Amino acid sequence: MGTIRLKNIKIYAFHGCLIEEGQIGSDYLVNLSVKADLQNASETDELADTVDYVMLQKIVREEMAMRAKLLEHVAKRIIDSILLKIEMVDEVKVTVAKRNPPIGGDVAEVSVTLQQKR
């Protein structure tokens, strides 16, 4: 078993419960890790034998592009999409962070982390 991580995927998106958040948008950071059997890839040196991190990043961007009220919902969609589209992934952990959230205080970010096994 091995782990592939994508760290600090920067995305501008329009999530949130406030109407203004859907109109103005905000900066987000997504951190993702997937676990899979990478033994074969370590021996063959072939992309077809591993989890393509370009595909992982594409899935994150697609799911982040669809507006949601809650970060929990976006994180779950990312997990579901990865498990549906990439069969060799056994486990997914994703953190979605909203930078400078509009919560009436000096807070750098709020984040939600979800994890799911196949």
Side-chain angles (χ1 to χ4, degrees):
M1 192 64 65
T3 303
I4 294 175
R5 291 187 180 92
L6 280 73
K7 184 176 180 179
N8 292 336
I9 303 168
K10 296 178 184 178
I11 298 175
Y12 196 84
F14 298 87
H15 307 301
C17 293
L18 301 175
I19 294 170
E20 294 83 8
E21 292 175 295
Q23 297 169 340
I24 298 169
S26 190
D27 289 315
Y28 292 83
L29 289 176
V30 177
N31 285 285
L32 174 71
S33 66
V34 298
K35 292 187 178 184
D37 182 354
L38 303 178
Q39 180 64 40
N40 197 31
S42 71
E43 295 171 3
T44 67
D45 196 28
E46 294 294 332
L47 181 59
D49 293 329
T50 192
V51 177
D52 185 351
Y53 51 79
V54 173
M55 180 64 167
L56 292 172
Q57 196 244 13
K58 180 181 178 204
I59 290 170
V60 168
R61 291 207 171 274
E62 287 172 351
E63 295 302 331
M64 288 295 291
M66 291 184 280
R67 179 164 160 67
K69 290 183 271 182
L70 302 178
L71 298 180
E72 293 88 339
H73 185 72
V74 179
K76 179 70 168 122
R77 285 196 328 233
I78 291 168
I79 289 171
D80 289 347
S81 185
I82 289 170
L83 292 175
L84 178 69
K85 295 177 180 177
I86 308 174
E87 290 182 20
M88 75 179 299
V89 170
D90 293 320
E91 186 175 341
V92 181
K93 181 177 179 181
V94 64
T95 299
V96 179
K98 179 185 286 191
R99 303 184 72 197
N100 302 311
I103 59 174
D106 187 11
V107 177
E109 70 178 35
V110 295
S111 67
V112 170
T113 300
L114 295 179
Q115 187 169 349
Q116 184 174 329
K117 293 181 180 181
R118 187 175 295 282

